[in-house]
Amino acid sequence: MTKNLTQSEQKALVGKYAVDQLIEQKRIFSGMKIGLGTGSTAMPAVERLAERIKDGTLKDICAVATSFQTTIACENLGIPVFSMNAKEIGGHLDLAIDGADEINPKKQLIKGGGAALLLEKIVAYNADSFVIVADQSKDVASIGTVFALPVEIIAEARVPVIKALEQLGATCTLRQGVKKAGPVITDNGNLILDLLWKSAPDAAQMEAEINKIVGVVENGFFCKNIPTVFVAHADGTVTER
Ligand code: 5RP
């Protein structure tokens, strides 16, 4: 019978599948330093990693978490979690695994739907290999016109930053909190702007341009460390590219 998995079933499937597959292919092995992403697709991967540590398949794993969400998950699941700066990590990771909001055919990404883009990028850009897990809805033809690009900014620079971003053709919306009056405050104490363009920008060029604006901390285009992407489909299959 053909399966018809929901989006959350696809997320659960791909997180588990990717970790098992990477262990099978010896791309995850004992002693590795692994960056762990944020969000509802990264979490099943974190949980599967914890299971494979618990069953003895993986030993001496050192993790770096990309958010409070992931730190708490690691603490609850018994995954040893360190700062990027700890001597166990030394500022460099063997692998990072994370979710994404959008993936284009060049495997350029938008990330930061969960407002964790800054640590996610620090982890992804300091890892030898980068793996993305996603449900099929994330696989899109172009990025920047449908899912708004998150940009983390210093609160005091909000107005000049918005003006400079508008010069780059973007429409900006200050992200608002849920069950919190006023704007979202990131794990780093900053604000998030969500940016949309009328037509898709050159993501790699825009990633660099946005970061030149004084008051921008980081943006959610990820174009530098091109990932291996695992995508789960409604029919229950997972593809890797
Ligand atoms: C958080 C992220 C997430 O990886 C991204 O938003 C995807 O989230 P989900 O897997 O919940 O759809 O970048 O900042």
Side-chain angles (χ1 to χ4, degrees), residues 7 11 37-42 98-101 110-117 120 133 135 138 147:
Q7 186 182 37
K11 290 178 183 209
T38 298
S40 54
T41 322
D98 204 345
D101 297 299
I110 284 184
K111 287 188 47 53
L117 63 133
E120 290 175 334
V133 286
D135 67 87
K138 308 296 181 61
F147 190 93

Side-chain angles (χ1 to χ4, degrees), residues 20-224:
D20 285 344
Q21 194 67 15
L22 292 165
I23 291 172
E24 178 93 24
Q25 296 170 358
K26 307 220 176 324
R27 290 154 72 192
I28 293 183
F29 48 85
S30 294
M32 281 184 102
K33 299 181 283 180
I34 305 180
L36 297 175
T38 298
S40 54
T41 322
M43 279 311 112
V46 172
E47 285 159 14
R48 188 58 179 164
L49 193 74
E51 285 172 3
R52 302 306 301 266
I53 291 172
K54 224 167 240 162
D55 74 14
T57 308
L58 298 172
K59 295 180 176 60
D60 304 320
I61 295 294
C62 294
V64 172
T66 53
S67 61
F68 291 150
Q69 179 196 38
T70 311
T71 302
I72 292 166
C74 287
E75 287 166 356
N76 289 339
L77 292 164
I79 300 177
V81 66
F82 297 88
S83 154
M84 216 35 204
N85 307 313
K87 68 173 180 342
E88 289 82 351
I89 303 294
H92 192 79
L93 297 162
D94 299 307
L95 178 127
I97 183 162
D98 204 345
D101 297 299
E102 286 191 333
I103 309 155
N104 74 11
K106 291 182 178 169
K107 298 195 283 184
Q108 296 171 322
L109 314 172
I110 284 184
K111 287 188 47 53
L117 63 133
L118 176 58
L119 270 174
E120 290 175 334
K121 196 178 277 193
I122 291 169
V123 160
Y125 282 9
N126 287 290
D128 286 338
S129 59
F130 184 30
V131 172
I132 288 292
V133 286
D135 67 87
Q136 64 179 20
S137 73
K138 308 296 181 61
D139 224 348
V140 296
S142 64
I143 59 179
T145 61
V146 176
F147 190 93
L149 176 82
V151 178
E152 182 157 350
I153 65 160
I154 299 290
E156 186 57 25
R158 176 174 52 88
V159 169
V161 167
I162 289 174
K163 284 185 179 159
L165 290 169
E166 285 170 350
Q167 292 293 312
L168 296 176
T171 306
C172 307
T173 307
L174 181 64
R175 193 180 295 182
Q176 297 297 318
V178 175
K179 290 201 175 181
K180 185 236 173 232
V184 163
I185 308 297
T186 69
D187 291 359
N188 319 296
N190 299 313
L191 303 183
I192 294 284
L193 295 173
D194 287 309
L195 273 59
L196 280 173
W197 283 265
K198 283 213 171 70
S199 59
D202 178 323
Q205 196 185 326
M206 201 53 89
E207 180 180 4
E209 283 304 310
I210 291 171
N211 283 2
K212 287 181 190 164
I213 300 169
V214 176
V216 165
V217 179
E218 192 47 82
N219 72 84
F221 279 133
F222 282 56
C223 303
K224 287 186 184 154

